[in-house]
Amino acid sequence: MNMIKLTTLWLLSSTVLACTTNNSNTDSILQRAEKQLTVLRASSLQDNNIPRSMNKEGHIRWIETPYDWTEGFWPGTCWMLYQQTQDEKWKEAAIAAQKLIEHHKDLTNDHDLGFIFNNSYGKAYRITGEGQYKQVLIDASNSLITRFNKNVGCLQSWDVVDNWQAERGWKFPVIIDNLMNLEMLFEASNITGDSSYRNIAITHANTTMKNHFRPDGSSYHVIDYDPTTGEVLHKVTAQGFADESAWARGQAWALYGYTMCFRYTRDKRYLDFAEKIAQFILNHPNYPKDGVPYWDFNAPNIPNEIRDASAGAIMASALLELSSYTNGKYLQAASHILDSLDGDTYTAKQGENGNFVLKHSVGSIPHGNEIDVPLNYADYYYIEALIRLKERGL
């Protein structure tokens, strides 16, 4: 064996060893997270409410009423912890939280039903196999597909009447986040055998791939379409620094979304596109050394800008799945993000941070909403990523 081959073998071995060594304590990290969230669970049951974040006074910020796009993440987290521990207290908490939101399965005025119901009832069905959860998932999918417009080839994200979107003059806005709602439609097709859900998901993914992205693989946040002609009217980034900037959580949704689309379709176009997005993220000059991104890759005051742990957690989970389709190519990058999130900078001490696990996440800086706070979806994707790492034997 020549020196080049020996060197290559040594590098590969070192990479695998490093990932294994750095993540050999995945179980203990999950246990610490569970301990922290146990207190939050007690508060949730006592108040019969779903935790979303923490307010300025350090108290739990509950989900918005009557509807909140984040309301499915807490029960989803509880289901994941139940699956890991088999402790009935987590199943009890998940069921209690789900009862508060089940009636939203029939809403047709918002696109976030996938976030809400796939991450809660979908997990409940996959873990327990109970038919009651399956039907809720199907009902929510039927509500979601009413937002599909054949002329555009997408599900509409936001309605544009009586809210801040109306001020923009938009007609049919589609946000990059909407990719995440497609997973519920793929699941609905698998459950029912009805390909119509899957076909809508694929059409939406393809239209988004065509119109949402720049040549370098970065994504706009919002594309506004003419609902009659399907023409692109506006390309903007509402929750990022500027229209032409790369809002970090938006890039994370895109990475996760196309990786997930490959899982369900095995269409190599989605795999290649997910890799293109991954390369944009990992090779960007403003990608920080610890792997936890600034809230926007083009924020003006980097390195003195706020980080977004939620975007980091989503990226880590997505990269772990992507690595399973690419011979481990992104495993080290995912592990590095998780190592950073597990450190004192991002993981709260027991009993602090409103009893959420991760600190330093961002909702929307342009809207002055949830800046440098814990978020339920940051914890959700962090727990998901740790479980994915554990399932890889690391």
Side-chain angles (χ1 to χ4, degrees):
M1 185 178 292
N2 62 35
M3 185 58 66
I4 294 176
K5 288 183 178 179
L6 280 171
T7 303
T8 302
L9 182 61
W10 179 83
L11 287 170
L12 288 171
S13 299
S14 297
T15 298
V16 173
L17 180 60
C19 292
T20 304
T21 302
N22 290 340
N23 293 282
S24 61
N25 61 342
T26 305
D27 270 325
S28 64
I29 297 172
L30 280 166
Q31 288 166 8
R32 291 200 305 273
E34 188 212 357
K35 184 178 179 181
Q36 176 82 333
L37 292 172
T38 293
V39 182
L40 194 58
R41 169 196 164 274
S43 298
S44 176
L45 288 172
Q46 180 177 339
D47 285 69
N48 194 33
N49 212 334
I50 295 174
R52 171 170 171 151
S53 183
M54 183 179 71
N55 62 26
K56 292 179 180 179
E57 291 73 37
H59 302 137
I60 296 170
R61 180 188 173 194
W62 304 104
I63 58 170
E64 300 288 339
T65 56
Y67 173 87
D68 192 313
W69 77 274
T70 74
E71 62 195 27
F73 291 112
W74 170 249
T77 298
C78 292
W79 280 118
M80 287 188 286
L81 292 174
Y82 169 67
Q83 189 176 32
Q84 288 298 301
T85 64
Q86 293 301 300
D87 188 331
E88 290 291 324
K89 72 181 183 185
W90 290 111
K91 182 177 181 180
E92 174 192 2
I95 292 171
Q98 286 179 176
K99 287 180 180 178
L100 300 174
I101 63 175
E102 182 174 339
H103 61 291
H104 288 163
K105 66 186 175 61
D106 299 318
L107 291 177
T108 58
N109 62 346
D110 191 86
H111 70 288
D112 285 314
L113 297 181
F115 271 126
I116 294 169
F117 288 98
N118 186 60
N119 293 342
S120 56
Y121 281 85
K123 274 191 165 50
Y125 178 62
R126 288 188 285 276
I127 290 170
T128 69
E130 295 178 18
Q132 58 180 320
Y133 302 131
K134 175 176 72 172
Q135 190 56 53
V136 172
L137 197 69
I138 295 169
D139 291 345
S141 297
N142 287 332
S143 297
L144 178 58
I145 62 175
T146 65
R147 301 185 65 78
F148 182 70
N149 181 310
K150 292 182 180 179
N151 299 327
V152 174
C154 279
L155 298 150
Q156 183 172 348
S157 295
W158 297 316
D159 286 351
V160 291
V161 178
D162 297 329
N163 54 31
W164 66 268
Q165 292 92 343
E167 300 173 5
R168 304 288 187 110
W170 294 338
K171 295 183 177 181
F172 193 98
V174 177
I175 62 176
I176 193 64
D177 322 35
N178 213 345
L179 283 173
M180 302 292 285
N181 294 295
L182 305 184
E183 185 170 1
M184 183 173 72
L185 300 184
F186 282 121
E187 282 291 319
S189 276
N190 287 349
I191 290 169
T192 63
D194 183 346
S195 62
S196 61
Y197 305 105
R198 173 188 175 91
N199 292 340
I200 287 173
I202 289 173
T203 302
H204 182 103
N206 291 345
T207 304
T208 299
M209 186 188 297
K210 177 182 177 183
N211 296 321
H212 250 87
F213 291 87
R214 307 180 185 97
D216 63 3
S218 66
S219 168
Y220 292 95
H221 179 204
V222 188
I223 302 297
D224 182 42
Y225 294 91
D226 185 311
T228 301
T229 67
E231 176 189 0
V232 172
L233 300 177
H234 305 97
K235 295 186 175 187
V236 298
T237 299
Q239 287 178 237
F241 166 64
D243 286 343
E244 293 300 327
S245 69
W247 173 50
R249 196 164 72 247
Q251 313 316 302
W253 294 141
L255 175 65
Y256 193 114
Y258 283 105
T259 303
M260 174 269 295
C261 285
F262 177 74
R263 183 203 317 157
Y264 283 98
T265 66
R266 297 295 158 168
D267 186 332
K268 194 172 183 298
R269 291 180 302 163
Y270 297 146
L271 178 62
D272 291 344
F273 207 71
E275 287 208 74
K276 183 175 182 178
I277 298 165
Q279 291 303 314
F280 169 82
I281 292 170
L282 298 175
N283 295 319
H284 195 281
N286 289 335
Y287 185 69
K289 290 183 178 180
D290 68 1
V292 180
Y294 300 100
W295 71 278
D296 191 298
F297 281 84
N298 304 104
N301 298 314
I302 291 173
N304 300 312
E305 288 281 357
I306 294 172
R307 303 296 188 92
D308 185 1
S310 74
I314 298 160
M315 288 173 182
S317 189
L319 288 168
L320 279 167
E321 181 173 8
L322 185 59
S323 74
S324 70
Y325 307 136
T326 55
N327 296 315
K329 184 175 179 181
Y330 301 96
L331 181 57
Q332 189 173 25
S335 299
H336 180 58
I337 296 172
L338 291 176
D339 284 344
S340 296
L341 291 176
D342 180 47
D344 292 340
T345 300
Y346 299 101
T347 290
K349 294 179 180 179
Q350 294 292 319
E352 297 182 357
N353 198 42
N355 290 298
F356 292 87
V357 177
L358 293 182
K359 302 180 288 184
H360 304 311
S361 290
V362 172
S364 177
I365 284 183
H367 295 90
N369 185 36
E370 296 177 324
I371 300 172
D372 198 23
V373 294
L375 291 169
N376 60 13
Y377 49 91
D379 285 0
Y380 174 94
Y381 288 105
Y382 182 52
I383 299 295
E384 180 184 77
L386 289 170
I387 291 172
R388 284 179 165 179
L389 192 67
K390 180 179 175 181
E391 289 173 347
R392 297 286 290 273
L394 301 174

